[in-house]
Amino acid sequence: MKALVLENIHPTAVEVLESRGYDVDLRSGALSESELVDSLDGVSLLGIRSNTTVTSRVLEAAPDLLAIGCFCIGTNQVDLAAASARGIGVFNAPYSNTRSVVELVIGEIIALARRLPEKTLRMHDGVWDKSAQGSHEVRGRTIGIVGYGNIGTQLSTLAEAMGMRVVFFDTSDRPAHGNARRMRSLDELLEISDVVTLHVDGRPGNAGFFGAREFALMKPRSMFINASRGMVVDNESLRDHLVSGHIAGAALDVFPVEPKVQGDTFESVLRGLDNVILTPHIGGSTQEAQAEIGWFVAGKLTGFALEGSTALSVNLPAVVTPPLNQGHRLGFLHHNVPGVLAGFNALFAADGDNVVGQQLSTRDALGYVVTDASAPLSGHAMEQLLASEHCLWARTW
């Protein structure tokens, strides 16, 4: 069994995969579409981060691929519809690096409020600039959180603990934490926030979400942070508002175009501004977070490949399977139409097999059933199952 693991994923992932019997090909950088196509022969598990894009063409060229692990939060770098159509499970780490991202944002808020980027640069140039001008405490300031999911809510809690007033806006109906207040619109949030921080996902509809209009609506001399997705922000407009002084400072950890390999040149219109913190997509790049992500995602990949569990898959119906201590297990992914399950169970009955456990889940157009039985289906019954017009795949364990 082969696994291809890219982009400097933590060694914990390799340890988990190897302990479950996988031969791991570990590579430091991302791969292009053509490079992926050439590299997936015989690979059943693929591990990536945010800089590798898995297209429909890649999936078509990988008949042995069972699952993709995104060792990060986002999965927009994977063609999920194409993966689902081929029955390829996609897994991510929605919680493992939350704390690391939040701590980075908190540190950036304090650094910008105290003008630390400018101060440290002057010190390195030999200039002693001991002045309080333009430096502020964050206590009593209002932070506006755009996107109130796993990261936004934890940021809300820590910011309030530091004495900040918290307001948030989210298109979903999410409960407020602590004393945080929901804003009825993004415009309302922008007008009152001293700090605006983005924590939205990478769905296509969010491209160009924050631009010239939104920056103009922000409170004069406020600060801006983007630790979500690079493509949601118009950085040209941000630069204009930074240069004009309308925005006092900004911190960005994500960019529309990011280097594929460690050490490659980074280009941005925001380079060279002393009131901007630029970091190389390291929000979740702490040793603690990466070790946790490596263990978590590798465990989900092997749980799916070796036991049939789709727990926390982002694209397949969720079935949490117990350990298979005895007997035989059959997983059946199929089109979600009436009558499929009845026909499936009829095969066991015709074979005289005793079903000892069964779990079923559906998700949009897909259905997934895992059945533990006293004996495996006969070869003829398996042929009938695989020949069904509604079958995507059937696997035994």
Side-chain angles (χ1 to χ4, degrees), residues 37-373:
V37 168
D38 294 337
S39 301
L40 287 175
D41 183 35
V43 170
S44 56
L45 300 180
L46 172 64
I48 63 172
R49 294 181 71 185
S50 56
N51 279 340
T52 298
T53 300
V54 182
T55 64
S56 178
R57 178 186 167 221
V58 169
L59 297 175
E60 289 174 1
D64 299 310
L65 191 62
L66 302 179
I68 301 167
C70 299
F71 287 74
C72 51
I73 294 177
T75 57
N76 56 295
Q77 67 274 41
V78 178
D79 187 330
L80 294 179
S84 299
R86 291 165 176 78
I88 297 172
V90 180
F91 299 86
N92 68 336
Y95 315 111
S96 300
N97 66 357
T98 301
R99 179 69 181 208
S100 294
V101 176
V102 169
E103 287 188 3
L104 176 67
V105 172
I106 291 290
E108 289 172 338
I109 292 171
I110 295 172
L112 290 173
R114 296 297 300 272
R115 297 173 60 201
L116 297 187
E118 176 188 348
K119 295 289 186 182
T120 188
L121 183 61
R122 290 194 175 187
M123 287 289 284
H124 279 287
D125 288 339
V127 179
W128 184 264
D129 180 18
K130 188 176 183 295
S131 168
Q133 184 177 359
S135 296
H136 301 277
E137 294 182 353
V138 299
R139 179 181 55 175
R141 300 274 171 165
T142 298
I143 180 173
I145 302 173
V146 182
Y148 207 62
N150 298 325
I151 293 174
T153 51
Q154 189 167 154
L155 175 60
S156 173
T157 300
L158 292 187
E160 185 174 328
M162 295 197 310
M164 300 188 77
R165 294 185 294 267
V166 180
V167 298
F168 70 93
F169 174 74
D170 197 300
T171 55
S172 300
D173 186 17
R174 300 185 185 274
H177 286 215
N179 294 315
R181 291 188 296 126
R182 172 188 292 278
M183 296 289 99
R184 291 171 295 180
S185 68
L186 176 61
D187 292 1
E188 184 182 10
L189 177 145
L190 297 178
E191 291 170 359
I192 67 171
S193 298
D194 298 297
V195 182
V196 174
T197 177
L198 303 188
H199 302 284
V200 300
D201 60 31
R203 70 188 69 179
N206 283 337
F209 160 72
F210 210 98
R213 176 184 176 277
E214 288 71 30
F215 287 119
L217 287 174
M218 286 176 61
K219 190 175 178 180
R221 302 301 296 166
S222 57
M223 300 179 292
F224 176 79
I225 295 174
N226 182 22
S228 59
R229 298 291 184 274
M231 57 84 168
V232 305
V233 176
D234 178 356
N235 286 342
E236 295 275 1
S237 295
L238 174 57
R239 179 184 173 85
D240 292 342
H241 285 82
L242 285 162
V243 172
S244 73
H246 178 68
I247 304 299
L252 292 93
D253 186 50
V254 289
F255 306 90
V257 178
E258 297 181 356
K260 294 290 186 183
V261 180
Q262 185 89 346
D264 280 1
T265 302
F266 165 69
E267 299 292 347
S268 173
V269 296
L270 300 173
R271 284 177 52 185
L273 300 179
D274 62 8
N275 57 343
V276 177
I277 299 173
L278 301 175
T279 50
H281 206 147
I282 56 169
S285 296
T286 61
Q287 288 298 306
E288 295 84 355
Q290 291 305 305
E292 175 67 19
I293 290 171
W295 172 84
F296 183 87
V297 178
K300 294 302 177 187
L301 289 174
T302 56
F304 174 61
L306 303 179
E307 298 166 2
S309 175
T310 52
L312 294 182
S313 168
V314 301
N315 68 322
L316 298 184
V319 170
V320 182
T321 59
L324 182 62
N325 297 319
Q326 58 183 357
H328 303 268
R329 174 168 292 171
L330 173 62
F332 177 46
L333 185 70
H334 56 85
H335 297 298
N336 183 22
V337 297
V340 174
L341 184 61
F344 175 73
N345 285 329
L347 292 174
F348 282 95
D351 257 13
D353 293 340
N354 181 38
V355 174
V356 298
Q358 189 172 74
Q359 297 183 72
L360 168 71
S361 180
T362 61
R363 182 173 187 161
D364 300 326
L366 297 178
Y368 180 49
V369 58
V370 176
T371 300
D372 292 342

